[in-house]
Amino acid sequence: MHKRTKVKMTFFVILVGMASMFTAVVTDHWAVLSPRVEQVNATCEAAHFGLWRLCKKVIYISEVDYNGKGCGPISLPGAENCTYFKHFTPGDESEIFEVKTQKEYNISAAAIAIFSLAFMILGTLCLLCSFKKGNDYILKPAGMFFAFAGLCAIISVEVMRQSVKRMIESEETIWIDYSYAWSFACACAGFCLLFLSGLGLLLLSMPRMPQNPWESCMDAEHEVE
């Protein structure tokens, strides 16, 4: 298979990874939090959130089996209200949820995710430039940028995971149960695709090893691929 064909296939995988990561950054289904259901035939308030926004959903619980368990699932019908975190919208009223969360964790996760997007943009520019004849050397920085984007993605995922863990373990919050949602899965998928594709581009940027003992590396580089 020709080298240029391999690069194009890798670029397609990268596009899927970029779409997954971008979806994770702009959506608010990273984690779902549930308080304890104290009584049936009453409402409880579950929440799901992302890097920028918190959504609370009032759910009516009518089944006895849910008594003493977590409110939800979040897919049940109910009135939903979404607000941006106060530290991203100065001047808004403070939410109890925001006071009790690890604010520094949330800001860190959002900032690292933005770095991931920046690396993806730089990698894409380098990769597009490498398609021009004689610009194969740009594959190496492109691969590095995409690998860095993947690393930033998984670091953001881990920071968010630690934030959720600390919220659940804290005695100052009402949440007793949690689960990770599809935005979290998109970020994990983005990490895998971007990081592996970045490594793939780095391998493709390396000169081809000689196939025969008498063939020099310089000859291998100048062969038509």
Side-chain angles (χ1 to χ4, degrees), residues 196-210:
L196 294 178
S197 297
L199 294 182
L201 289 178
L202 288 175
L203 291 176
L204 290 173
S205 67
M206 297 175 63
R208 186 174 66 84
M209 296 299 294

Side-chain angles (χ1 to χ4, degrees), residues 16-223:
V16 177
M18 291 174 61
S20 298
M21 191 58 198
F22 182 77
T23 301
V25 171
V26 301
T27 54
D28 44 40
H29 284 77
W30 282 64
V32 178
L33 303 175
S34 303
R36 186 185 303 276
V37 176
E38 301 295 343
Q39 58 182 354
V40 295
N41 295 325
T43 59
C44 62
E45 194 173 58
H48 63 85
F49 68 98
L51 299 175
W52 322 100
R53 197 170 66 157
L54 162 73
C55 295
K56 293 184 177 180
K57 191 172 187 179
V58 178
I59 301 173
Y60 181 76
I61 300 297
S62 59
E63 298 183 18
V64 179
D65 293 341
Y66 284 104
N67 193 21
K69 298 181 180 180
C71 178
I74 198 72
S75 57
L76 291 174
E80 189 172 69
N81 180 37
C82 297
T83 56
Y84 287 93
F85 291 125
K86 183 183 178 183
H87 42 271
F88 295 121
T89 55
D92 288 357
E93 295 182 0
S94 177
E95 292 278 351
I96 296 177
F97 178 89
E98 294 179 48
V99 175
K100 302 304 181 183
T101 51
Q102 306 300 324
K103 179 179 176 180
E104 65 277 9
Y105 276 79
N106 189 263
I107 295 177
S108 299
I112 296 171
I114 293 299
F115 276 114
S116 179
L117 295 181
F119 281 130
M120 287 193 300
I121 294 173
L122 292 174
T124 301
L125 293 176
C126 290
L127 189 54
L128 292 177
C129 291
S130 71
F131 287 143
K132 294 183 180 180
K133 189 175 181 180
N135 286 350
D136 289 350
Y137 64 93
I138 307 182
L139 285 176
K140 184 172 293 184
M144 294 178 62
F145 282 134
F146 285 120
F148 288 153
L151 290 176
C152 287
I154 197 61
I155 293 173
S156 181
V157 165
E158 178 59 22
V159 171
M160 180 64 75
R161 194 183 70 84
Q162 291 296 328
S163 176
V164 173
K165 182 180 178 181
R166 291 187 63 175
M167 278 190 287
I168 296 298
E169 294 176 349
S170 174
E171 296 180 355
E172 299 179 343
T173 61
I174 62 174
W175 317 111
I176 67 165
D177 192 18
Y178 73 96
S179 62
Y180 297 110
W182 55 269
S183 296
F184 188 89
C186 285
C188 293
F191 154 69
C192 294
L193 296 176
L194 291 171
F195 184 74
L196 294 178
S197 297
L199 294 182
L201 289 178
L202 288 175
L203 291 176
L204 290 173
S205 67
M206 297 175 63
R208 186 174 66 84
M209 296 299 294
Q211 296 179 350
N212 301 311
W214 56 84
E215 182 184 16
S216 68
C217 294
M218 188 63 68
D219 294 335
E221 289 180 5
H222 290 291
E223 277 190 6

